[in-house]
Amino acid sequence: LNLNRAPFDAFVREVEAQASVRFYYDARWTDTLTVTISASRLPLNTVLNQVFSSTILQYAVHDQQVFLTAGRPILAELPGNFFREGSDQPSAEQVDYSDYLRRQQQQQQEEEKLYAIGTRTNNLQGTATITGIIRDNKTGEPLIGASVQVVQTQAGAATNTFGSYSLTLPKGRHTLRIQSIGMKTTTRQVMVYANGKLDIALDEDVTPLKEVIVEAERDARVMGMQMGVERLDIRTMKNIPLALGETDIIKVMLTLPGVQTVGEGTSGFNVRGGATNQNLILYNDAVVYNPAHLFGFFSSFNPDILKNVELFKSGITADYGGRLSSVLDVRTREGNLKKFSGSGGISPITGRLSLEGPIIKDKTSFIVGGRSTYSDWLLKQLNSETLNNSSASFYDLNANISHTHNDNNSFYLSGYLSQDRFSFNRDTLYSYSDRNASFKWKHAFSTKLTGLFSGSYSDYRFNVSSKANPVEAAEMDFRIRQWQGKADFTWFPKARHTVTGGMSAIRYSLSPGNLNPVGPESKTIPETIQQEQAWETALYIGEDFEITPRLGLYAGMRYSFYQMVGPRDVYQYVPGQPRQVSTITDTISYAAGEPVARYHGAEPRLALRYTLPRYSSVKVSFNRMRQYIQMLSNTTVIAPTDIWKLSDTYIRPQIGDQVSIGYYKNLRSNTIETSVEAYYKTIRDATDFKDGAELLLNPHIETDVLLANGKAYGVEFFIKKASGKLNGWISYTWSRSLLQIDGPTLIETVNNGKWYASPYDKPHAVNVISNYKLNRRVNFSLNVTYSTGRPITIPIAKYELGGSERVFYSDRNSFRIPDYFRTDASINVEGNHKVKKLAHSSWTFAVYNLTGRNNPYSVYFTNEGGQIKGYQLSIFAYPIPTITYNFKF
């Protein structure tokens, strides 16, 4: 053969003449396919592999006949060892094929049937819109991110968080291909007369053969408009070994490029050089202020009920706002609409259980889940009297109800409750809790316009009490509450064109702290910091459309309004002097509801994608974010005693601008994803603190807070192999995060006004995640992590002043703790794969910190006998083995 861009039917005629074979295929699959090949004395299979390597076509050769299929291969004969005794194929005792064959036959009928969309008519001019919901056929749950693609034109759409899609296409006959991660690909033949609805059910991609290849969304990273977006697969996360044997979505996020943490065993995370409080964490649309249990050793999210996790690092759309660095959107499953089921797990420290099922079959479902710890017994085993007298516990509860009233109306109700308690040596008791609730109503006004109306409530509080010394016994508490209402609209004016918009309103109520005595002997003086209240509202609109088949554009605008309201007393200070207690001159009192401080501003968003040949693309994005609430903390991680502060007269809102550019390319027939992203971010009015700042119970906190300029920049490399026996990803990030405080006076200046490393500046970070499937029941996982040590300030000299010896410290954050390196390993063993059994179970054996490296969490200094001595504190200084039993029924 010697063909150059020859039509496919010409290629077929040449091969049929030379190889004496006959081709069978649907001409619609190949009407635009051309063939360029130069071959001499090559086997037929080799020629076919070359021709079809970059297409969706599959082939099978049998008895001088070549059968072509689109998307899925067919087997012309059974594998040679299918009936061989001792092979790892399932035996007749293990698998009941009746349901499998029935569903296969049903799916074939569904794929061959011609579905009429809209009222039948002879006028096939113009376009029409198909809408519908894609669900899991087994559970009835909507599938997020499933793709619906027109085979003939490659036009397509993806389902939203409710499994809904909308696809506008010319009237007439089309073939739709439907794909979703972990589900079998299917097709539908449609005849489009007018606007109409087509719901589709997908089967789980489980097969009795040796291998399962997940193909859905392989090109989403290349073809999608958004950049800097990471979508986490729950099944993959459960294969990654983590501390204490608990699957933790935040710990898994830390293996992705651009996401780091400053300490081991923490649930706070830093995205592209931002602070932990600059991340908006949403749980079913309700804000989570502390995503951690037990000081960060566990995250707040129960993995058994999670459905979808998305992290937005850049290119954030206009419907999100309120934080500078990222948005973590966590959504739970809605419950099984078909039958009652459950899952759970037991480890040496925690236990969990979730139940789900229909309330009204195919219309209303529920899911509830709970976790708790029984770690006190472990503390009793340690060789330390202090730890023996300590206690630690937590629990969390989740409950969701979803109801489909009709094709145009669906309702969702979600609730979350968590409680933590920790006592060290029977002295100080730390207690903190989260309470969240949300309600959503989804309404379809037409096939092209939908609305989502939601309300949410968030309540976070902590309490610290000490009763060891009756004279000093006291308790302190903090509380923040937030009410939010949103109305979001999505309009599909035409094919490949989507307009979104809406409005939101947030009401903040914050109690910064109350100190009260405990017991009749306590001499503690009660103290209450005045409450803070504010409103934050926003209007937003965004437009996503394809200018050409290669060039796509997203343009959005968000305008936010903020107003702090009374009652409140605001201190006045001497003009031109540093804000200190000694410079207070007056106090202005504001009545209830009276405006205290106002801020507002535009937040433009822009993203461009240009698709290149051979599965590659270039993307650029810009977004501006405004943050009206800050976390004040003298630690670099999220702790239960951190307090939040609303923007007021002196503490202005933070404003961040980020520009990103990325190159994305898929290799080896779309099976390996690679990307490089670079970013540059600037921040105005970031919060930092004076040396020796007092944050708790400070009635004039503005005297200890400094406003800084910030900048962060870096490059992220990512390579991922999602299929095959060996899969996983490698990420490398080089980045810098810097701050500058150059105030009008010396006391309001840090490091003489020079740029200095922020507490979360870690230039190098490497993560290697690998999973190897030994066979159908056993897989092995390995996790390797390296990062630069975080910056610290250390004492470098001693001097005498006024007859006393004092310590002289280095410039802020001019030194670093040692670098961090850790290796984890795990083996997951599944039970037998019988279809009919009481419960399906698996065992996970994991070792955290396999090499036993003594990684420092922090470095601190003490004065011992007139000498300054430094120490390193490690959280996990030895290998930590865990074993977890998981079950599902």
Side-chain angles (χ1 to χ4, degrees):
L1 293 176
N2 189 11
L3 303 175
N4 183 25
R5 299 187 63 81
F8 183 76
D9 57 355
F11 164 76
V12 169
R13 288 194 298 269
E14 289 280 355
V15 174
E16 287 182 337
Q18 294 189 38
S20 299
V21 296
R22 181 70 184 273
F23 280 75
Y24 297 90
Y25 60 95
D26 189 330
R28 293 174 300 176
W29 301 338
T30 60
D31 55 359
T32 60
L33 179 62
T34 59
V35 178
T36 299
I37 188 172
S38 179
S40 178
R41 301 183 62 81
L42 290 179
L44 175 61
N45 287 347
T46 302
V47 173
L48 296 178
N49 286 338
Q50 291 183 21
V51 172
F52 300 134
S53 62
S54 60
T55 73
I56 65 170
L57 297 178
Q58 306 281 346
Y59 74 90
V61 180
H62 179 67
D63 195 20
Q64 297 301 106
Q65 300 174 95
V66 180
F67 302 97
L68 301 187
T69 53
R72 294 187 304 163
I74 61 173
L75 295 180
E77 57 187 15
L78 292 175
N81 64 344
F82 189 81
F83 296 105
R84 187 177 304 161
E85 184 177 354
S87 70
D88 63 353
Q89 306 298 337
S91 66
E93 295 180 353
Q94 290 179 298
V95 177
D96 179 1
Y97 286 100
S98 58
D99 289 339
Y100 174 78
L101 295 176
R102 179 188 55 79
R103 181 54 190 163
Q104 287 290 96
Q105 182 180 12
Q106 181 182 348
Q107 180 174 334
Q108 182 178 356
Q109 293 172 352
E110 291 171 345
E111 293 182 349
E112 294 174 352
K113 177 182 176 181
L114 182 63
Y115 292 84
I117 307 299
T119 304
R120 190 181 300 271
T121 177
N122 293 326
N123 179 15
L124 296 180
Q125 300 299 316
T127 62
T129 300
I130 302 177
T131 59
I133 299 176
I134 299 179
R135 298 182 182 273
D136 185 326
N137 184 62
K138 183 178 180 181
T139 66
E141 284 232 10
L143 297 174
I144 297 176
S147 64
V148 183
Q149 189 176 52
V150 182
V151 173
Q152 293 84 352
T153 65
Q154 302 302 307
T159 58
N160 59 18
T161 55
F162 301 98
S164 301
Y165 73 93
S166 179
L167 183 63
T168 302
L169 65 169
K171 294 179 180 178
R173 181 162 179 169
H174 303 275
T175 301
L176 305 182
R177 182 187 305 111
I178 302 93
Q179 297 175 306
S180 182
I181 290 179
M183 312 302 290
K184 289 182 179 179
T185 299
T186 188
T187 60
R188 292 293 185 272
Q189 308 294 327
V190 297
M191 186 67 186
V192 181
Y193 297 104
N195 296 342
K197 185 177 179 64
L198 178 64
D199 293 336
I200 302 166
L202 298 185
D203 290 321
E204 188 177 0
D205 196 2
V206 176
T207 171
L209 302 181
K210 289 183 178 180
E211 185 177 8
V212 176
I213 299 176
V214 178
E215 296 182 346
E217 291 193 348
R218 290 185 301 179
D219 61 349
R221 210 172 169 86
V222 173
M223 302 301 295
M225 180 63 67
Q226 289 181 317
M227 64 181 301
V229 178
E230 304 289 350
R231 293 177 173 86
L232 300 179
D233 177 24
I234 301 300
R235 299 179 184 180
T236 301
M237 289 192 293
K238 291 186 176 182
N239 288 331
I240 298 177
L242 297 169
L244 307 179
E246 180 80 15
T247 299
D248 189 326
I249 66 171
I250 294 182
K251 299 297 193 304
V252 176
M253 270 196 335
L254 297 176
T255 67
L256 300 174
V259 186
Q260 299 190 49
T261 184
V262 295
E264 189 168 40
T266 65
S267 285
F269 58 97
N270 307 94
V271 176
R272 291 187 171 179
T276 54
N277 72 94
Q278 292 174 353
N279 305 309
L280 177 64
I281 303 174
L282 299 174
Y283 188 75
N284 289 336
D285 290 332
V287 175
V288 175
Y289 282 94
N290 188 349
H293 287 305
L294 288 185
F295 291 93
F297 287 106
F298 299 91
S299 83
S300 299
F301 308 116
N302 184 344
D304 285 345
I305 68 169
L306 295 184
K307 178 179 183 179
N308 187 60
V309 180
E310 289 184 310
L311 175 68
F312 300 84
K313 299 182 293 183
S314 64
I316 301 173
T317 52
D319 50 324
Y320 290 111
R323 300 292 189 276
L324 295 190
S325 291
S326 74
V327 177
L328 178 63
D329 194 352
V330 181
R331 298 184 184 274
T332 61
R333 295 189 289 110
E334 296 165 12
N336 196 319
L337 281 166
K338 305 291 186 179
K339 64 178 183 179
F340 181 82
S341 61
S343 63
I346 301 173
S347 74
I349 296 178
T350 62
R352 65 185 193 277
L353 176 66
S354 64
L355 302 172
E356 59 185 302
I359 299 175
I360 303 174
K361 192 171 183 179
D362 294 329
K363 290 185 68 70
T364 308
S365 64
F366 77 93
I367 182 170
V368 295
R371 288 189 302 170
S372 184
T373 184
Y374 32 84
S375 52
D376 284 356
W377 76 269
L378 190 61
L379 295 174
K380 306 301 181 185
Q381 311 305 314
L382 301 177
N383 187 23
S384 168
E385 183 178 354
T386 299
L387 293 177
N388 293 160
N389 293 328
S390 302
S391 64
S393 65
F394 77 84
Y395 70 85
D396 57 45
L397 300 172
N398 305 264
N400 300 336
I401 295 177
S402 64
H403 172 68
T404 301
H405 182 67
N406 52 37
D407 289 344
N408 296 326
N409 295 278
S410 300
F411 302 91
Y412 309 87
L413 180 63
S414 172
Y416 171 77
L417 168 66
S418 75
Q419 179 72 51
D420 280 73
R421 293 173 64 87
F422 175 79
S423 174
F424 184 71
N425 198 24
R426 296 179 181 173
D427 181 12
T428 304
L429 174 65
Y430 298 86
S431 175
Y432 55 100
S433 65
D434 252 315
R435 292 173 173 83
N436 295 325
S438 64
F439 174 78
K440 290 179 282 188
W441 168 35
K442 179 191 171 189
H443 176 68
F445 296 95
S446 68
T447 56
K448 292 191 175 184
L449 178 63
T450 61
L452 178 64
F453 307 93
S454 62
S456 65
Y457 172 71
S458 302
D459 184 353
Y460 172 68
R461 64 180 71 185
F462 72 78
N463 180 280
V464 181
S465 61
S466 178
K467 303 177 183 179
N469 185 346
V471 177
E472 300 178 350
E475 65 176 3
M476 183 193 68
D477 59 76
F478 167 91
R479 185 181 188 185
I480 181 170
R481 290 178 292 171
Q482 172 180 322
W483 296 264
Q484 180 173 10
K486 289 186 68 178
D488 295 284
F489 301 92
T490 304
W491 179 43
F492 303 95
K494 59 182 180 179
R496 303 182 182 183
H497 188 184
T498 305
V499 178
T500 58
M503 60 195 75
S504 69
I506 301 174
R507 169 70 171 179
Y508 296 103
S509 178
L510 192 150
S511 299
N514 299 285
L515 181 67
N516 293 296
V518 175
E521 301 179 40
S522 176
K523 304 299 182 182
T524 299
I525 299 175
E527 186 174 358
T528 299
I529 306 300
Q530 61 180 331
Q531 291 193 349
E532 300 180 7
Q533 300 182 69
W535 284 93
E536 178 185 341
T537 57
L539 299 172
Y540 45 88
I541 187 171
E543 189 170 11
D544 188 340
F545 62 96
E546 292 193 7
I547 303 173
T548 69
R550 290 188 177 275
L551 180 63
L553 169 69
Y554 173 83
M557 175 61 72
R558 181 184 182 92
Y559 203 98
S560 58
F561 307 82
Y562 172 85
Q563 180 175 269
M564 172 177 269
V565 295
R568 185 163 181 81
D569 294 333
V570 178
Y571 295 110
Q572 304 297 298
Y573 297 88
V574 177
Q577 295 293 317
R579 285 194 294 270
Q580 302 181 85
V581 177
S582 60
T583 60
I584 295 176
T585 60
D586 198 1
T587 302
I588 297 180
S589 297
Y590 294 86
E594 185 179 359
V596 176
R598 289 192 180 101
Y599 299 97
H600 61 89
E603 303 177 37
R605 318 286 168 87
L606 181 68
L608 282 168
R609 183 217 67 223
Y610 186 76
T611 305
L612 302 171
R614 297 183 178 274
Y615 299 109
S616 60
S617 66
V618 175
K619 303 179 188 180
V620 296
S621 71
F622 168 80
N623 56 256
R624 166 170 287 188
M625 311 288 284
R626 292 175 178 267
Q627 181 168 336
Y628 298 102
I629 182 170
Q630 287 73 231
M631 185 178 71
L632 304 183
S633 171
N634 54 7
T635 67
T636 53
V637 299
I638 292 179
T641 55
D642 295 333
I643 62 173
W644 292 79
K645 177 75 177 70
L646 295 172
S647 295
D648 58 17
T649 307
Y650 301 108
I651 300 178
R652 299 185 295 270
Q654 303 180 61
I655 302 175
D657 294 328
Q658 181 179 188
V659 178
S660 304
I661 183 169
Y663 175 72
Y664 308 82
K665 183 174 179 59
N666 288 359
L667 307 173
R668 293 185 61 181
S669 299
N670 233 18
T671 59
I672 297 179
E673 303 174 9
T674 65
S675 65
V676 180
E677 292 186 18
Y679 65 90
Y680 187 87
K681 179 164 58 176
T682 61
I683 301 174
R684 283 183 285 163
D685 295 324
T687 55
D688 209 336
F689 310 101
K690 297 178 181 178
D691 294 331
E694 295 183 7
L695 304 182
L696 295 178
L697 298 174
N698 188 340
H700 29 71
I701 191 69
E702 64 270 9
T703 61
D704 280 329
V705 175
L706 300 176
L707 299 182
N709 293 319
K711 62 181 179 181
Y713 49 87
V715 183
E716 302 167 357
F717 300 86
F718 187 67
I719 180 170
K720 179 180 180 180
K721 184 176 183 290
S723 61
K725 299 194 71 170
L726 177 63
N727 58 78
W729 64 84
I730 301 174
S731 68
Y732 167 71
T733 303
W734 176 85
S735 61
R736 295 304 310 273
S737 176
L738 307 173
L739 295 173
Q740 180 192 46
I741 300 179
D742 190 7
T745 64
L746 183 62
I747 197 173
E748 297 171 300
T749 301
V750 174
N751 288 8
N752 297 317
K754 299 178 182 178
W755 289 93
Y756 63 94
S758 72
Y760 21 89
D761 174 65
K762 302 173 70 175
H764 300 281
V766 181
N767 290 279
V768 179
I769 304 296
S770 60
N771 297 292
Y772 182 74
K773 191 173 183 65
L774 300 176
N775 54 47
R776 292 182 300 111
R777 294 177 53 188
V778 181
N779 67 280
F780 174 77
S781 299
L782 190 69
N783 176 18
V784 180
T785 299
Y786 165 81
S787 64
T788 308
R790 65 178 176 84
I792 59 170
T793 306
I794 68 171
I796 57 176
K798 295 189 296 183
Y799 64 96
E800 288 189 2
L801 180 65
S804 62
E805 191 175 67
R806 301 172 183 257
V807 176
F808 182 78
Y809 285 86
S810 67
D811 285 345
R812 185 174 295 188
N813 293 344
S814 58
F815 289 83
R816 294 184 181 273
I817 66 174
D819 292 352
Y820 183 91
F821 178 82
R822 192 188 79 245
T823 300
D824 312 322
S826 72
I827 295 178
N828 189 69
V829 181
E830 297 183 14
N832 66 61
H833 288 172
K834 291 181 179 179
V835 173
K836 295 182 178 180
K837 56 187 302 186
L838 180 62
H840 295 269
S841 61
S842 66
W843 290 89
T844 299
F845 305 89
V847 180
Y848 184 85
N849 194 12
L850 184 65
T851 62
R853 177 178 169 85
N854 195 348
N855 288 301
Y857 172 80
S858 65
V859 174
Y860 62 96
F861 299 86
T862 62
N863 188 335
E864 299 179 5
Q867 293 185 339
I868 305 297
K869 293 187 177 181
Y871 294 91
Q872 293 184 168
L873 172 66
S874 293
I875 303 297
F876 297 113
Y878 302 95
I880 306 295
T882 59
I883 179 173
T884 305
Y885 173 72
N886 304 289
F887 58 89
K888 179 183 289 188
F889 59 89

